[in-house]
Amino acid sequence: MKRVSQVTVRKRLVLTLIVGVLIFAVIDLRLGFVQLIIGGELTEKAEELWSRNIPFEPERGDILDRNGVKLATNKSAPTVYVFPRQIENPQETAEALAGVLEDLTVEEAYEYVTRNESSVKMKEGRKITPEKAKEVENLNLSGVYIAEDSVRYYPYGDYLSHVLGFAGIDNQGLMGLELYYDEELQGEKGYVQFNADGKGKLMDDTGGNFQPAVNGMDLKLTIDADIQTILERELDNAEAEYNPDGALAIAMDPDNGEILGMTSRPDFDPANFELVPPEIYNRNLPIWSTFEPGSTFKIITLAAALEENKVNLLEDTFYDPGYIEVDGTSLHCWKAGGHGPETFLEVVQNSCNPGFVELGQRLGKETLFNYIDAFGFGKKTGIDLQGEGKGILFDLENVGPVEQATTAFGQGVSVTAIQQVAAVAAAVNGGTLYTPYIAKELVDPETGKVVMRKEPEAKRQVISEETSEKIRYALESVVAQGTGKGAFVESYRVGGKTGTAQKAKDGRYLENNYVVSFMGFAPADDPEIVVYVAIDNPKNTVQFGGVVAAPIVGNIMEDSMRALGVEPRKNQIEKEYTWLDTPLVEVPDLVGLTTKEIRQMFVPLQLDVSGEGDTVVQQSPQAGVKVKENSKIRIYLDEE
């Protein structure tokens, strides 16, 4: 038998010891690396595997008018989440949930609570009422959680609907301002985090985290809720009276491009947009719809002719036989037989087509179309709303004498309402063309800090202040003494222009189918508002802008002037009355008079008497205000 020497044994022991030390060194190094170097990272990964989140949706930012009136906001609408692996008794849980949530059967609930998923958002438990959420919470079901959520709420229903647009069930903007400013309105989600093991069971010895949601920015508009209400009311009345195919109205501050009001018909309720066809909610008519403007476009021809010194309104004359021959084509005036001899101020007052053809010819086609371009037609205005149209103009190379003539009085071209409002605002504000806009500020709802403020954008000076002043005078005379008498408002100096445009289809004009319109501004000496109203195919009436649209604008102007706090003017062009008009009477000063003295006066007004006594101590309206004959005057009596 071979014997192992003592030296060999020692060598083997030493080798074994060295190998053992090396192995333990490697293990120690690995443990040190895991604990000291990558321990934090591994812990985070483990916590990610353990963690479960209950999301908290952010509050979508409010949309407000210029004075802080909420036009779009949120209502609490919690959502039910199920964590199937935490549910102890699926059948009992399913029965309990089905007993509380509407449109949820026990079978459907059981399918939710037994899914092989870490968490499930229940369709029937999505965006429920706070009261219903409380019922679910009171069930005390393991694995069932209530997450805070909200639903978009429009306090005024269909008010401003096409401008506001709407948000979807996930609070994402789908149309209008809700879409245009969706990123700013959305905010960032938050969550409550808890830890669970691989089977989904809660881990009691580990803590969770809470990450609050970051609410979206509030969007403050240029819209004035008072003026918007007036526009909505007047279009509602027009719908009821004329049953039109459509209608629209815009109000703008001419000095900066701020939109004060915008509406159209048909409209819709943003909270229930799915109840109307897409062609209704997808079309914001004031910026989308293009149509022949008719005589409101004559304002542009007038501005160009005045700026180029092609006409003197008071000294130059024109004879209108009822038509004008252009390149072998007879272009007719709206008045059969014509207006006869006129000054060019009367041409404007009478909306005389042949007279405006003459102005267009004096300008020449290049100059006329240069001004049309300078006033912003044929391209988008740049308003901060989606879906804006550009309109259609003749290519200059295709413009012959007839096309030039018809363009001069607003026929054969296609424009949007917002283009017309912006252009006329420039014509009456001193000559500056502004980009219209509707979003004024973005505000942090937590701090109140303004994070974005839109400033007025002046594009260019189109005409001079001197020309603008002449236009204001001419258009005020249209309302006082011309075709726009229906828009006359005592003491507020309204200027404007009627429009009556025949609609075309498949290249042919339709019979008895017109878009009637009126473009107005006030006060004429220093305009604070421009208002445009267009009524598409009004029924059971004479289809003229002066008959249908002008009185609507007059109503809007009268109430808007009061809403804006505009002081009445005294140096107004006197209205030329017709036999259809109710005469106006100046309210006398009754304060200090006795009832006996009043009875001895001949005053064609009705008196509404309040108070006890024999002497008038107060009256409304005040003395000097003009009102319609037989209007009611309120007087307050007391003892002297």
Side-chain angles (χ1 to χ4, degrees):
M1 181 176 177
K2 188 176 180 181
R3 296 179 65 184
V4 179
S5 70
Q6 213 170 15
V7 174
T8 303
V9 170
R10 283 199 196 101
K11 287 181 179 179
R12 289 177 178 175
L13 288 173
V14 169
L15 181 61
T16 302
L17 180 62
I18 292 171
V19 171
V21 169
L22 289 174
I23 291 172
F24 279 108
V26 170
I27 293 173
D28 286 343
L29 288 171
R30 181 61 181 169
L31 286 173
F33 176 76
V34 169
Q35 289 186 345
L36 301 177
I37 306 300
I38 64 172
E41 180 182 347
L42 293 175
T43 300
E44 287 180 8
K45 289 182 177 180
E47 287 178 348
E48 286 178 8
L49 294 173
W50 300 334
S51 67
R52 304 289 186 271
N53 291 342
I54 301 176
F56 279 82
E57 296 293 332
E59 285 281 317
R60 189 171 177 85
D62 291 337
I63 301 179
L64 316 164
D65 93 323
R66 66 192 303 118
N67 299 311
V69 177
K70 290 185 179 181
L71 306 176
T73 185
N74 308 287
K75 288 197 302 187
S76 178
T79 293
V80 179
Y81 280 81
V82 172
F83 290 78
R85 295 172 184 173
Q86 297 179 19
I87 292 175
E88 298 172 355
N89 191 320
Q91 185 62 37
E92 289 183 5
T93 300
E95 291 173 358
L97 289 172
V100 172
L101 297 177
E102 297 174 4
D103 301 323
L104 179 66
T105 65
V106 174
E107 292 75 16
E108 290 170 336
Y110 189 81
E111 192 274 331
Y112 279 125
V113 302
T114 56
R115 283 188 188 176
N116 187 26
E117 298 178 26
S118 61
S119 66
V120 177
K121 182 190 294 186
M122 302 184 70
K123 177 183 176 183
E124 295 79 3
R126 194 173 187 192
K127 295 186 183 292
I128 57 179
T129 65
E131 294 76 19
K132 187 64 68 175
K134 189 67 176 176
E135 289 184 48
V136 174
E137 196 175 72
N138 290 339
L139 296 173
N140 293 317
L141 300 171
S142 62
V144 177
Y145 298 88
I146 304 296
E148 185 56 45
D149 204 346
S150 63
V151 65
R152 205 60 166 158
Y153 174 55
Y154 302 91
Y156 299 99
D158 53 9
Y159 180 103
L160 199 67
S161 55
H162 286 95
V163 172
L164 295 175
F166 49 82
I169 192 170
D170 291 317
N171 281 346
Q172 78 280 27
L174 298 178
M175 205 221 39
L177 290 170
E178 295 276 26
L179 174 60
Y180 198 95
Y181 289 96
D182 185 49
E183 184 177 345
E184 293 83 357
L185 290 166
Q186 267 193 356
E188 298 177 12
K189 291 183 179 182
Y191 59 86
V192 171
Q193 183 186 83
F194 63 88
N195 294 326
D197 60 21
K199 296 182 178 181
K201 300 295 183 181
L202 286 173
M203 299 172 63
D204 296 331
D205 58 341
T206 59
N209 295 319
F210 171 67
Q211 178 64 46
V214 178
N215 294 333
M217 297 292 174
D218 288 342
L219 180 63
K220 182 173 282 190
L221 307 183
T222 61
I223 295 291
D224 185 310
D226 291 335
I227 292 174
Q228 181 68 31
T229 299
I230 295 166
L231 297 186
E232 300 282 0
R233 180 198 71 200
E234 290 302 317
L235 285 202
D236 285 344
N237 292 342
E239 269 200 314
E241 184 171 357
Y242 299 117
N243 187 29
D245 295 343
L248 63 86
I250 305 175
M252 189 175 91
D253 185 336
D255 290 328
N256 52 29
E258 292 184 353
I259 300 297
L260 302 175
M262 180 183 289
T263 187
S264 61
R265 300 291 184 275
D267 56 3
F268 64 97
D269 182 353
N272 298 292
F273 67 90
E274 67 279 357
L275 300 180
V276 300
E279 56 265 26
I280 290 180
Y281 62 70
N282 274 335
R283 296 173 179 174
N284 187 6
L285 297 182
I287 68 165
W288 173 84
S289 180
T290 60
F291 50 90
E292 282 193 2
S295 295
T296 54
F297 198 74
K298 292 173 181 174
I299 299 172
I300 308 306
T301 305
L302 174 64
L306 288 170
E307 183 72 9
E308 293 294 317
N309 295 313
K310 299 297 184 181
V311 66
N312 183 302
L313 293 176
L314 298 176
E315 296 178 5
D316 291 358
T317 59
F318 177 79
Y319 184 83
D320 171 29
Y323 66 93
I324 188 170
E325 292 288 336
V326 178
D327 198 29
T329 300
S330 291
L331 300 175
H332 293 274
C333 186
W334 63 268
K335 183 179 180 181
H339 295 94
E342 307 168 282
T343 66
F344 270 92
L345 180 61
E346 291 171 327
V347 166
V348 178
Q349 292 173 352
N350 296 328
S351 195
C352 176
N353 287 349
F356 276 89
V357 172
E358 169 69 17
L359 292 181
Q361 290 174 338
R362 291 185 185 186
L363 285 164
K365 73 174 184 179
E366 286 82 7
T367 301
L368 174 61
F369 275 81
N370 282 342
Y371 274 95
I372 290 171
D373 178 73
F375 272 107
F377 293 101
K379 46 187 172 288
K380 295 180 180 181
T381 65
I383 189 171
D384 48 344
L385 288 169
Q386 292 184 323
E388 184 181 5
K390 295 193 299 183
I392 303 171
L393 299 177
F394 291 116
D395 289 332
L396 195 58
E397 64 226 29
N398 298 327
V399 174
V402 175
E403 289 79 14
Q404 176 185 331
T406 58
T407 298
F409 61 82
Q411 185 176 306
V413 296
S414 179
V415 303
T416 65
I418 193 63
Q419 284 175 336
Q420 291 194 84
V421 171
V424 172
V428 301
N429 72 5
T432 303
L433 182 69
Y434 285 95
T435 299
Y437 66 101
I438 204 162
K440 193 176 183 71
E441 295 174 346
L442 280 168
V443 182
D444 186 324
E446 300 297 326
T447 65
K449 181 181 178 182
V450 176
V451 298
M452 182 281 287
R453 178 177 284 116
K454 180 90 170 179
E455 299 294 341
E457 180 186 346
K459 291 182 176 178
R460 56 189 162 270
Q461 188 79 16
V462 187
I463 56 175
S464 67
E465 170 59 53
E466 181 183 3
T467 297
S468 181
E469 185 177 358
K470 293 176 182 177
I471 293 169
R472 293 196 296 269
Y473 171 74
L475 296 182
E476 184 181 6
S477 74
V478 169
V479 173
Q481 301 173 347
T483 57
K485 292 188 185 75
F488 186 87
V489 179
E490 183 63 40
S491 301
Y492 279 117
R493 298 190 62 180
V494 177
K497 186 73 190 70
T498 56
T500 305
Q502 195 169 9
K503 290 167 62 179
K505 184 177 181 180
D506 300 327
R508 300 181 64 182
Y509 285 108
L510 302 174
E511 290 292 327
N512 301 316
N513 196 332
Y514 295 83
V515 175
V516 297
S517 60
F518 191 85
M519 180 74 73
F521 60 93
D525 58 327
D526 184 18
E528 295 196 29
I529 188 171
V530 172
V531 174
Y532 180 68
V533 168
I535 308 295
D536 183 359
N537 192 25
K539 315 296 192 304
N540 304 314
T541 185
V542 179
Q543 292 192 351
F544 283 120
V547 174
V548 177
I552 296 173
V553 173
N555 293 338
I556 292 171
M557 286 298 188
E558 185 170 7
D559 290 347
S560 295
M561 290 296 95
R562 295 192 177 101
L564 293 171
V566 176
E567 292 294 325
R569 266 57 171 175
K570 294 188 181 297
N571 53 338
Q572 185 173 26
I573 298 176
E574 287 294 326
K575 182 178 181 180
E576 183 181 284
Y577 289 97
T578 69
W579 66 274
L580 292 172
D581 293 315
T582 303
L584 295 184
V585 178
E586 186 172 315
V587 177
D589 188 356
L590 303 178
V591 176
L593 299 181
T594 64
T595 53
K596 182 179 179 180
E597 290 171 327
I598 293 174
R599 281 194 294 270
Q600 293 173 349
M601 298 172 60
F602 175 72
V603 182
L605 299 167
Q606 299 181 51
L607 296 179
D608 182 9
V609 182
S610 299
E612 297 179 0
D614 193 49
T615 303
V616 178
V617 294
Q618 191 177 349
Q619 71 179 70
S620 178
Q622 299 298 316
V625 174
K626 290 185 177 180
V627 297
K628 289 183 178 180
E629 195 173 88
N630 294 318
S631 295
K632 187 172 288 187
I633 305 299
R634 175 164 296 211
I635 60 174
Y636 301 86
L637 301 179
D638 203 350
E639 299 291 346
E640 271 293 312

